[in-house]
Amino acid sequence: MGANRPSAALFGGTFDPFHNGHLRMAIEVREALSLPRVVLLPAHYPPHKPRQPVSEARHRLAMASAAVARLPGITVSDREIRQEGLSYSLTTVRDFHRAEPGVDWIFVMGADSFGEISTWHRYEELLAACDIVLLPRHGTPRKPAPPLGLRIEKEEPHCYSWKGESYRLPGGRRLLCPALPILDISSRSIREKVRNGKSIRGLVPPEVEEYIAEHGLYLGAGEEGRP
Ligand code: ATP
């Protein structure tokens, strides 16, 4: 995090649907790092991308928005969804920096996503553009697994007021791994439960549960063939 500038976090995802893992992580990160703001960023996914979300962008946006409507310090941005084209995290981060240059934006992602970061568009530039916060994920080791060739160096933890670990990235930015609880919830498991007529109470915010029922989401064919 920048020394003097106020920080805010961008938390991107498919959010198909937005679940209590996303919700708790947004709250935990905000509190652990004392951030004034966490901005949720539902991704658009243009039709030519292989891994398509199950539900339309408008539904995913509506569910995330309803879930955090009354939560202080957590908002939703429709920037990527509005763009309709290919949206890269790097471009998004740069746009947020441009729109609010006084804010030191940091980027939040699950440890599983970080493991795949070398497949992201110009990922080295993204890692040099902002600090990254890693969320612990069930089934993924807590220690960050950087892509081959990317050197990360552990820093002394005593310089931080939060509990966890911090690493220096090659461009001087930081990889922050706050000590957060592991919540074994995934969107895929929720879609599966809905499809199989099982309850999702307690796994998603009540607003999301209602929205899914009202719009009949996730009742279609299974996803066995999906990556
Ligand atoms: P799916 O099951 O469809 O792959 P997902 O549950 O991983 O979806 P995404 O919308 O893809 O949800 O996640 C957005 C970001 O939030 C990703 O970086 C992911 O790693 C992280 N994330 C999702 N669920 C959790 C969780 N329970 N704990 C920590 N991070 C999570």
Side-chain angles (χ1 to χ4, degrees), residues 11-17 19-22 25 51 108-113 135-138 181-189 191 223 226:
F11 183 10
T14 317
F15 303 138
D16 190 20
H19 55 64
N20 282 345
H22 298 129
M25 287 300 142
R51 191 168 178 251
V108 179
M109 67 173 82
D112 55 324
S113 303
L135 308 172
R137 195 90 207 252
H138 176 78
I182 292 180
L183 297 174
D184 184 11
I185 307 178
S186 70
S187 295
R188 190 183 183 115
S189 68
R191 296 193 298 269
E223 307 174 40
R226 286 165 63 93

